[in-house]
Amino acid sequence: MIYEDNHVQFFTATIHEWLPLLTDNKVKHIITDSLSFLVKEGRVFIYAFVIMNNHIHLIWRIRSPYHLKDVQRDFLKYTAQQIKFYLLKNNIALLEKCKVGHYDRKYMIWKTNSLSIDLYTKAVFEQKLNYIHNNPVKAGLCVLPENYIYSSADFYEQ
């Protein structure tokens, strides 16, 4: 029997300087494709997500034997590279706003410290789920949560 020792978590990753790098739907697809890959590879369970213009929220659980820090690192590194490649071809002006001049990188896509919170109770899980699904409504991107296609809200309405 495999023991799943990782807790369900609320995860937030924010774009460096809150730049609207995730506005383009093709960039949002980089995120969804990467999440799909992690699910297919058996690294995560995804319970909820939303992709906003400058940040993402997830409720997920990292599956054993994988470790949270490794999955997060790989996900953020891969998506950052893919976003950078996309912007190099399609929006160099926006990419230039990501320049940082650090010793180890020329551009920064994601903020360094992502937020991960263990969700130990059903009440906290539901609070975070509602927060995620209502995020696009509060941002004025849609009227009803289930109308925003870069969210799992519609799945919960079915």
Side-chain angles (χ1 to χ4, degrees):
M1 180 164 84
I2 297 175
Y3 174 68
E4 298 282 356
D5 58 351
N6 297 312
H7 297 285
V8 173
Q9 291 197 315
F10 174 74
F11 173 74
T12 298
T14 305
I15 296 295
H16 184 68
E17 301 292 335
W18 290 89
L19 293 168
L21 300 186
L22 306 177
T23 304
D24 186 322
N25 288 348
K26 291 186 179 183
V27 176
K28 286 182 177 84
H29 284 268
I30 292 169
I31 305 298
T32 57
D33 290 348
S34 184
L35 292 173
S36 292
F37 172 81
L38 291 173
V39 169
K40 287 177 190 170
E41 289 291 308
R43 298 181 194 186
V44 300
F45 287 119
I46 297 189
Y47 301 99
F49 76 95
V50 68
I51 304 170
M52 302 298 289
N53 292 336
N54 55 19
H55 65 284
I56 64 169
H57 297 298
L58 306 171
I59 295 177
W60 66 356
R61 181 164 56 85
I62 309 304
R63 299 182 65 186
S64 294
Y66 299 99
H67 299 284
L68 174 68
K69 66 180 171 92
D70 297 332
V71 174
Q72 283 182 355
R73 179 200 61 225
D74 294 349
F75 169 73
L76 294 173
K77 183 177 179 181
Y78 176 79
T79 56
Q81 287 175 331
Q82 295 306 306
I83 292 167
K84 180 185 78 172
F85 295 149
Y86 178 79
L87 293 175
L88 273 169
K89 291 181 183 175
N90 298 286
N91 195 340
I92 194 74
L94 186 54
L95 181 61
E96 287 300 309
K97 294 179 181 181
C98 300
K99 272 194 174 175
V100 292
H102 288 184
Y103 74 95
D104 64 340
R105 70 192 67 181
K106 185 175 180 178
Y107 302 102
M108 180 159 290
I109 303 300
W110 297 107
K111 278 187 169 188
T112 307
N113 296 319
S114 300
L115 173 69
S116 290
I117 300 170
D118 286 338
L119 305 179
Y120 292 112
T121 68
K122 182 179 178 185
V124 175
F125 179 97
E126 288 175 355
Q127 184 270 331
K128 295 300 183 190
L129 181 69
N130 289 331
Y131 176 81
I132 285 172
H133 290 160
N134 284 305
N135 215 232
V137 175
K138 289 180 183 177
L141 299 174
C142 60
V143 175
L144 298 171
E146 58 271 20
N147 293 341
Y148 188 68
I149 63 170
Y150 293 101
S151 162
S152 55
D154 187 49
F155 173 81
Y156 283 88
E157 288 298 314
Q158 297 178 8

